[in-house]
Amino acid sequence: MIRAIAAALALASVPLGGMALARDGDAVVKALRPAVHVAGTPQIRWTVAERLATYGVAGTSVAVLRDGKLAWARGYGLRQAGKSDPVTTETMFSVGSLSKVATAAVVLRMVDEGRLDLDRNVNAYLKRWKIPESPLAKGHVVTLRRLLSHTAGLNVHGFPDFQPGDVLPTILDTLEGRAPSRTEAVRMVYTPGTQFRYSGGGVTVEQLVVEDVLGVDFETAARRYLFGPLGMRRSTFAQPLDPGFGDIARAHGSDGKARALPRGYEAMPETAASGLWTTPSDYARMVAAFIASYRGARGAFLSRPLAEQMMAAVAPGPVGLGPFLDGRGATRRFHHGGSNDSYRAWMEGNLASGNGVVIFTNGADGARLYPEIRRAVAVTEGWPDTGVAEVPALSLSAANMSEIQGAYRIQALAGAIGERMRMSLPYPLIHVAVVDGVLRIGGRPGGGEALVPADRSNFVHANDADRWVEFVAGDNGRIERLILRDDLAAVEAVREP
């Protein structure tokens, strides 16, 4: 398998616009690394082929932006495990929730055109279905601004994929939660504007708004407002993907084996939320268009005032009008991850530098791979935020670790952190445990992610240099609480007796 992937790596570099790209792609090939480096220990490096094999991912494709322009793109590995077809820059991938940012682009183009208003009750636009009235509304309405920022009060986090031969639900089936849909009905579950709750159901409402206003299906709308204007010729929301596109990355499970055979890929009928098929180069064109719009470039994709709104978080969450946002100054970036059953994807753009990266994978464990590729790109491209934490060598005694371990109950924080930047965690208790001499943190006893000490109080997640844990002692000298930090977000948890 490794030999086949290595052969594919040698074949997969394809020039864009006559530019030789192998130099840049090759720099990344051998530069993958952990998120944390402990001073005085050997520098660990991996190749793309090694990590594809480690995670059972057949292939990946990458596009990189410099100063708002596509600098290089490269495919690595195979379209399907056991076959010989390499991933190229033309290979199409399912990108999961990266679809939501593309959907936001369509909506915002319609706002610029005057066909939609960000702050109008969306029921005024809907013809085939309405958001049911609810006592939870309390005078607040569902608007496009709230839908785009996941603060609209709606449920349904995400959607499962459908196998070849399955009957696909219509958009109304999905909204009503009726067969063949596999999720509950989309309904209001909290007062709009008062909480952040990620909602694929809300994005499905966005889709219906677009379709009902234009009188066309979402694929046609996307071609008119997004794919056509940006030259995204290898992109589609149509479900299932037409095999005629050719050069398609096939689906793989966490065991590394091909899925959804004989076709080789699933269908994602909730198109606006999770149905986009595209290439990194096509998607990077959209990322570049956002950056150019934010900078006020002449003839840009979006008006500058609207692009600035897109890139500002909508309280009480960390999301703007489509993308997640973090960092500040030179590290200010917009980003989003994507996760369908057999594909994982990542995109980000830096608003200050114009740099960015788009990474697609065709494996269920691709989310373990793309952070490593992102770090390799950041280092080789000279970004200020490499995603790598350098910490001093520090050995904790068994007594030190024993003092820290235990269960901590999540609390609401007061002030600005509590209102705007509190992280949303799926469990009420955080468990810290020592497992085989390693401190681990997670939602279940005895498991979770490894922590690396930076000092006696602060620890960084071994696989994510942006995530830190601070253990805080009380006036009796004993650890009584912890604070989880992820960029500007934070949440406090108090130790259980």
Side-chain angles (χ1 to χ4, degrees):
M1 179 67 176
I2 293 178
R3 184 176 298 172
I5 291 174
L9 295 182
L11 297 171
S13 181
V14 178
L16 295 175
M19 183 179 174
L21 307 176
R23 175 182 59 83
D24 301 282
D26 285 346
V28 170
V29 166
K30 300 178 182 180
L32 278 64
R33 65 197 66 208
V36 179
H37 175 245
V38 178
T41 63
Q43 298 275 358
I44 298 173
R45 297 290 180 269
W46 303 299
T47 67
V48 174
E50 287 170 343
R51 301 311 271 174
L52 287 170
T54 296
Y55 298 131
V57 176
T60 184
S61 188
V62 182
V64 170
L65 295 171
R66 292 189 199 125
D67 192 23
K69 297 179 177 61
L70 187 63
W72 61 268
R74 178 79 181 262
Y76 307 91
L78 304 169
R79 292 185 225 164
Q80 183 173 324
K83 304 289 187 179
S84 60
D85 297 326
V87 171
T88 74
T89 57
E90 294 290 287
T91 303
M92 295 176 73
F93 287 74
S94 167
V95 299
S97 288
L98 265 64
S99 308
K100 294 177 174 65
V101 182
T103 295
V106 174
V107 170
L108 294 178
R109 286 275 287 186
M110 292 178 66
V111 171
D112 258 341
E113 195 177 69
R115 304 196 71 154
L116 295 174
D117 186 318
L118 286 171
D119 299 307
R120 188 181 184 189
N121 187 337
V122 296
N123 271 347
Y125 296 116
L126 297 173
K127 300 174 182 177
R128 291 174 286 167
W129 179 89
K130 304 282 187 182
I131 298 171
E133 292 185 6
S134 170
L136 293 170
K138 298 179 182 177
H140 297 258
V141 298
V142 174
T143 65
L144 284 169
R145 189 184 304 276
R146 287 169 172 165
L147 289 171
L148 289 162
S149 61
H150 302 279
T151 60
L154 302 184
N155 61 344
V156 186
H157 182 277
F159 303 99
D161 296 354
F162 285 70
Q163 297 301 310
D166 287 347
V167 177
L168 304 184
T170 66
I171 189 170
L172 297 183
D173 291 334
T174 298
L175 290 167
E176 281 301 311
R178 68 191 179 210
S181 173
R182 296 168 183 170
T183 50
E184 63 184 323
V186 176
R187 295 291 186 266
M188 189 178 294
V189 292
Y190 65 86
T191 302
T194 63
Q195 297 182 38
F196 166 77
R197 178 168 170 173
Y198 189 82
S199 174
V203 178
T204 304
V205 176
E206 293 174 35
Q207 177 183 336
L208 191 68
V209 168
V210 170
E211 292 182 349
D212 281 359
V213 168
L214 296 177
V216 299
D217 63 27
F218 195 73
E219 167 70 3
T220 301
R223 294 207 167 278
R224 181 186 305 176
Y225 286 99
L226 177 61
F227 303 153
L230 295 184
M232 297 170 65
R233 62 182 183 81
R234 296 282 294 166
S235 301
T236 182
F237 277 102
Q239 295 295 327
L241 178 65
D242 184 348
F245 274 100
D247 201 349
I248 299 166
R250 265 46 182 190
H252 297 81
S254 57
D255 58 2
K257 295 180 180 179
R259 285 184 169 180
L261 298 172
R263 185 174 71 198
Y265 50 88
E266 298 91 348
M268 286 61 69
E270 295 81 15
T271 54
S274 60
L276 179 63
W277 287 86
T278 186
T279 69
S281 297
D282 261 15
Y283 204 95
R285 290 180 176 93
M286 184 177 69
V287 174
F290 294 154
I291 293 170
S293 300
Y294 185 82
R295 292 175 166 182
R298 190 181 187 91
F301 179 71
L302 297 173
S303 66
R304 185 171 191 171
L306 191 56
E308 290 173 343
Q309 290 185 66
M310 183 186 194
M311 299 303 170
V314 178
V319 180
L321 303 183
F324 284 78
L325 300 155
D326 64 36
R328 55 189 123 187
T331 62
R332 184 64 169 172
R333 63 175 183 164
F334 59 97
H335 59 88
H336 212 292
S339 178
N340 281 337
D341 289 353
S342 305
Y343 299 85
R344 302 290 187 269
W346 176 260
M347 78 84 181
E348 69 176 84
N350 183 296
L351 292 169
S353 68
N355 298 332
V357 64
V358 181
I359 307 167
F360 298 162
T361 73
N362 63 339
D365 276 349
R368 300 170 66 190
L369 173 66
Y370 68 63
E372 296 176 0
I373 295 176
R374 189 268 177 202
R375 290 193 287 270
V377 169
V379 170
T380 58
E381 290 287 317
W383 295 356
D385 176 17
T386 63
V388 179
E390 299 281 347
V391 300
L394 179 63
S395 178
L396 293 182
S397 68
N400 292 147
M401 290 192 285
S402 178
E403 180 189 10
I404 289 171
Q405 69 177 348
Y408 297 77
R409 186 167 297 278
I410 294 173
Q411 307 291 305
L413 291 183
I417 290 179
E419 178 192 351
R420 288 200 45 156
M421 296 296 180
R422 189 169 62 249
M423 288 185 288
S424 177
L425 295 175
Y427 39 80
L429 279 177
I430 298 170
H431 295 272
V432 179
V434 180
V435 182
D436 296 329
V438 176
L439 203 63
R440 294 188 176 273
I441 187 169
R444 292 178 295 178
E449 299 181 53
L451 295 176
V452 180
D455 54 50
R456 296 293 178 185
S457 300
N458 294 281
F459 295 70
V460 61
H461 281 245
N463 294 317
D464 189 342
D466 289 328
R467 298 173 65 195
W468 289 76
V469 183
E470 179 184 2
F471 293 95
V472 182
D475 57 10
N476 61 1
R478 297 176 181 174
I479 301 298
E480 63 177 24
R481 60 192 173 98
L482 62 76
I483 300 174
L484 302 181
R485 305 185 192 278
D486 189 345
D487 188 59
L488 300 180
V491 67
E492 183 182 54
V494 174
R495 191 170 191 164
E496 293 279 272

